Amino acid sequence: MLELLTHKLFLSSITILISLVVTIYLARKYKLSQYQILIYILLVLFWSAINLIRAYRKAYAGGALDAGGLAMDGIMAANIAAAYGLISIFVRLPIFAFSDFFKSRKFFIALALVFIIVSSVMVYYNPNYDTLMFSSLALGLGASMLSLFNVLFSETFSAKQAIMSVSILSVAPLLAEFLVAPIQYIFTATKPNNYPGMWLTSAVIGLVALVFLFFVKDNKDNVRNFSVDKFKRALSNPWFISVALLGVVVSFIRFSTSGSNLISFVRMEGIDMHPLMVAYIDVGYAVAQLFGGVMVGLSLKRLIGVKKSLILGLAVSAIFTLVLSFSTNSWLIFLITPLSGLGYGITYNILLGLAMQPFEKDMREITMGIYQTFFAVGIFYGDKIYALLIQLLPQTLTGLELSQMVFMLITGLSVVTLVFIQLVFNKKHQTFFED
């Protein structure tokens, strides 16, 4: 245990150092202001509270009792995981509407932190289906605030720097993943896993973030941007809607094949990935996502354009899901997981930037809210797909076989989406994207 923890801390130190070097480089290159840096730090703390427990919801709910889990059936565990995306569908657009009406983004970020803190404490003292469901809903509410952070941060840059601002800010959640990885390992390295301790630590980090929030001013303009006319204008833009629909696909691919679903997959009998590898599989994913996301803002978009970047990102993700649809080799799965992160880093950052960049500042809250609602649909069904397939497919299938079938379906979806992009993105569409 001590030796493994030493290796874990060493690897964690390296990844944290890499992300800090990238952060310093971006801060100097783009001359980030003190206020921009404060937003960045706040997001690191905010996302640490979420990310510490987000990937372990399904493992906690469905894990065996002797492993520290609650031994719930597959449908219950999948429903808990899917609640994260379900609430996002209903709150991502209203969050922008309410923050616009009350002229405050800071209040809603604080509200999300309060829900995360309270729900995490409830799980710690009384872990069951209801408290884990509430925790998952609170995490989904918190994740919905990421779009507020992106708008808040992008408004400190010029109108044509939206994709670049997304690339810079995308480093913050990844740094949070690196910071919590050793904590995750400490709580899961031995049997039974100490899941309650993870949830309590999440509450503590959330409390620290809530205190830090008071030192960050709210940059919401004292005007209201939401109107029926602007809402209709966004929905009537076919190019924007195509971006939103691609967001559904990208989020569905990401949440059905990574995070809690991937961790549950690699811990199954027949794969039995080592706990150190399990704890760091998300970090390998995140390092690659960091690289892909930053490269989008720095050079990829300029070198090959948006269309080819989207094709590249989806193709790389498809290679990952194709291999997992037939392989059970834990080392191979661990080594190719970065392909999934790289693909997501490229596609996510481009689509998020395109939800803002082609529009004026007073339209960005509306377009981001609509885009995030579409994106949340993919999150929900990405987690829900396992529960749906359990009910549709023969009961003789093992959990491993079910998961591999999901990876096979995702590979097919990626190929269809690649064909769609190639055929539909004509020159007029491309002009909108490259603006």
Side-chain angles (χ1 to χ4, degrees):
M1 168 66 179
L2 182 60
E3 182 181 356
L4 290 175
L5 179 58
T6 301
H7 288 309
K8 179 73 173 180
L9 293 176
F10 174 72
L11 291 172
S12 179
S13 299
I14 292 176
T15 52
I16 291 171
L17 180 62
I18 291 172
S19 56
L20 287 176
V21 169
V22 172
T23 298
I24 294 171
Y25 170 76
L26 293 174
R28 290 182 175 179
K29 179 177 176 63
Y30 296 104
K31 297 180 174 61
L32 298 186
S33 66
Q34 181 180 13
Y35 178 63
Q36 290 169 328
I37 293 174
L38 284 176
I39 296 174
Y40 184 95
I41 295 173
L42 174 63
L43 182 54
V44 171
L45 292 171
F46 183 90
W47 203 251
S48 293
I50 294 174
N51 200 70
L52 176 61
I53 57 178
R54 183 179 63 165
Y56 287 86
R57 293 166 293 142
K58 191 174 180 181
Y60 191 8
L65 292 174
D66 60 0
L70 300 178
M72 297 181 194
D73 62 44
I75 293 178
M76 293 176 71
N79 285 339
I80 288 173
Y84 175 91
L86 179 62
I87 190 173
S88 297
I89 298 174
F90 299 103
V91 303
R92 294 200 177 201
L93 183 58
I95 280 173
F96 279 102
F98 284 124
S99 66
D100 185 65
F101 180 81
F102 292 105
K103 302 185 181 69
S104 173
R105 295 172 183 141
K106 187 174 176 178
F107 170 78
F108 291 95
I109 293 173
L111 185 64
L113 283 169
V114 169
F115 275 104
I116 292 169
I117 294 167
V118 171
S119 63
S120 294
V121 171
M122 288 174 63
V123 171
Y124 174 74
Y125 282 107
N126 186 23
N128 55 45
Y129 180 81
D130 291 332
T131 55
L132 274 174
M133 179 64 76
F134 180 39
S135 175
S136 189
L137 291 170
L139 294 176
L141 177 64
S144 300
M145 300 298 156
L146 186 58
S147 52
L148 275 184
F149 277 98
N150 276 293
V151 172
L152 185 150
F153 196 66
S154 70
E155 289 185 355
T156 63
F157 293 85
S158 65
K160 296 299 180 182
Q161 292 181 310
I163 291 181
M164 186 268 287
S165 72
V166 168
S167 291
I168 295 173
L169 196 63
S170 67
V171 181
L174 300 177
L175 176 56
E177 293 195 31
F178 303 151
L179 290 172
V180 302
I183 302 175
Q184 291 170 331
Y185 177 67
I186 289 172
F187 286 121
T188 60
T190 58
K191 298 295 179 65
N193 298 152
N194 185 10
Y195 292 120
M198 293 176 69
W199 261 255
L200 182 62
T201 305
S202 170
V204 172
I205 297 174
L207 185 60
V208 173
L210 185 61
V211 172
F212 188 85
L213 178 62
F214 287 101
F215 298 94
V216 180
K217 71 175 183 178
D218 200 328
N219 72 344
K220 178 77 173 71
D221 290 338
N222 193 29
V223 295
R224 291 180 182 169
N225 295 320
F226 265 69
S227 69
V228 175
D229 179 65
K230 290 179 179 177
F231 193 77
K232 289 181 177 178
R233 197 191 319 166
L235 288 177
S236 63
N237 187 321
W239 314 134
F240 169 67
I241 294 301
S242 70
V243 170
L245 290 174
L246 284 173
V248 176
V249 175
V250 168
S251 61
F252 178 77
I253 292 173
R254 189 261 192 254
F255 283 89
S256 61
T257 61
S258 63
S260 60
N261 287 321
L262 181 61
I263 285 179
S264 295
F265 175 67
V266 299
R267 291 164 69 114
M268 288 178 179
E269 186 177 352
I271 298 178
D272 297 316
M273 186 175 285
H274 190 279
L276 180 62
M277 295 166 67
V278 173
Y280 253 85
I281 197 168
D282 269 350
V283 175
Y285 180 101
V287 170
Q289 183 185 338
L290 168 64
F291 178 77
V294 171
M295 288 306 296
V296 164
L298 292 181
S299 60
L300 195 59
K301 177 178 177 289
R302 173 175 51 84
L303 291 175
I304 65 175
V306 170
K307 179 178 177 179
K308 290 181 180 178
S309 295
L310 286 174
I311 290 174
L312 175 64
L314 283 167
V316 169
S317 296
I319 294 171
F320 167 75
T321 55
L322 177 62
V323 173
L324 264 65
S325 68
F326 62 81
S327 176
T328 58
N329 184 291
S330 62
W331 272 105
L332 177 61
I333 294 171
F334 181 81
L335 291 174
I336 69 166
T337 293
L339 291 179
S340 179
L342 178 64
Y344 181 67
I346 293 171
T347 52
Y348 175 79
N349 280 21
I350 286 180
L351 293 176
L352 196 63
L354 288 173
M356 298 185 290
Q357 184 160 294
F359 300 95
E360 296 300 323
K361 181 179 177 181
D362 63 347
M363 283 286 293
R364 288 184 175 181
E365 288 178 310
I366 295 174
T367 58
M368 178 59 77
I370 294 172
Y371 171 80
Q372 288 292 336
T373 300
F374 276 80
F375 193 84
V377 171
I379 296 175
F380 172 69
Y381 282 103
D383 281 326
K384 189 72 172 178
I385 185 65
Y386 292 88
L388 294 174
L389 288 180
I390 287 173
Q391 295 171 313
L392 292 175
L393 296 175
Q395 298 296 314
T396 54
L397 285 179
T398 66
L400 183 60
E401 291 170 334
L402 177 68
S403 295
Q404 290 190 311
M405 183 165 291
V406 170
F407 287 118
M408 188 179 298
L409 290 172
I410 296 302
T411 303
L413 176 62
S414 298
V415 172
V416 171
T417 307
L418 286 170
V419 173
F420 172 82
I421 293 173
Q422 186 64 39
L423 294 178
V424 175
F425 282 9
N426 53 42
K427 290 184 178 180
K428 182 179 179 181
H429 204 159
Q430 186 105 352
T431 300
F432 170 84
F433 275 13
E434 301 294 349
D435 185 18

